[in-house]
Amino acid sequence: MYKTYPDSNLQQCKTKVFWGELAPCDHIVQIYENDDVFLDLLEGFIGDGINEGDSVIVIATDVHLQAIQDRLMAHAVRVDILISESQYIPLNAEETLSKFMVNGWPDETLFLELITELTAKSRVKNRQVRAFGEMVALLWAKGHCGATVQLEHLWNKFCKTESLRLFCAYPKAGFTQEATTSLQTICETHSKVITDFNRSTTDIFYQEVENERRVKTTHF
């Protein structure tokens, strides 16, 4: 089912398998060049969650929220019913950021209060919860590198205490200065990094992030 490449830690599997076998505290990142490819993956992440009976929190730009809603509705998904039952919670990323950012920095107490409230709302009927967040990408695009990494660490801290499957994504165009170092810094705050996605075969290529590297970057 999985294919491991002997010369690296790159692995390959089908999209449905990848999303279906996420651990409760997995924190996944995709660095993408093509918006449609990103939306394909996000659609798979959300769709798999809904099919499995999970609740899905999506914190994204209005453009991406609308694109995902259109895709779900094209598959006859009753988005209005899912929202009314708190199984699908779409939120604007800028507005959500404003609720816990203080002087350009994520306030830990405000962040944890907000995410705790959202996940508690989502756990009706003992549902598992998965979330997508685009807030980090917005911070990074504005040049707030330290705040971005801190927010990633706050997500990790929350995931360690709560069962939450987390996915986030950054457009590759945002990594313009010292790209290699910047990419490494972001990737090392995650458990898995999606390196490529083949739309024709629905295969995901990804790398596991070593625990030692993740721990090292927490002291930012």
Side-chain angles (χ1 to χ4, degrees), residues 14-169:
K14 295 297 182 184
T15 306
K16 184 173 179 59
V17 174
F18 182 83
W19 294 133
E21 296 188 353
L22 292 181
C25 59
D26 259 336
H27 186 183
I28 315 301
V29 65
Q30 178 197 15
I31 311 296
Y32 65 93
E33 296 185 51
N34 183 292
D35 213 51
D36 286 335
V37 171
F38 153 64
L39 289 169
D40 284 346
L41 274 176
L42 180 55
E43 179 185 352
F45 175 74
I46 296 170
D48 180 79
I50 292 171
N51 289 336
E52 291 298 317
D54 294 353
S55 289
V56 186
I57 301 167
V58 179
I59 307 172
T61 64
D62 284 341
V63 171
H64 289 154
L65 288 174
Q66 185 62 56
I68 286 299
Q69 178 170 306
D70 291 344
R71 285 166 173 249
L72 293 174
M73 292 177 67
H75 291 289
V77 175
R78 289 296 304 273
V79 175
D80 56 336
I81 294 178
L82 293 176
I83 291 175
S84 69
E85 296 179 348
S86 297
Q87 189 173 359
Y88 178 61
I89 301 178
L91 299 168
N92 175 273
E94 286 280 11
E95 292 177 5
T96 307
L97 260 179
S98 69
K99 294 180 179 180
F100 60 81
M101 293 294 291
V102 178
N103 297 322
W105 194 257
D107 182 277
E108 181 173 352
T109 300
L110 293 177
F111 171 81
L112 293 177
E113 286 178 353
L114 174 64
I115 303 304
T116 299
E117 179 181 345
L118 284 173
T119 53
K121 180 180 179 181
S122 304
R123 292 190 195 281
V124 293
K125 301 180 180 179
N126 294 317
R127 295 191 188 112
Q128 295 295 312
V129 182
R130 61 180 64 192
F132 169 77
E134 202 167 9
M135 296 182 292
V136 286
L138 295 181
L139 284 175
W140 190 266
K142 295 176 181 178
H144 303 316
C145 302
T148 303
V149 176
Q150 175 65 10
L151 182 52
E152 293 284 19
H153 293 327
L154 292 181
W155 275 116
N156 282 334
K157 184 174 183 178
F158 183 83
C159 289
K160 286 180 180 179
T161 59
E162 299 287 340
S163 177
L164 178 69
R165 295 168 175 84
L166 182 61
F167 174 41
C168 61

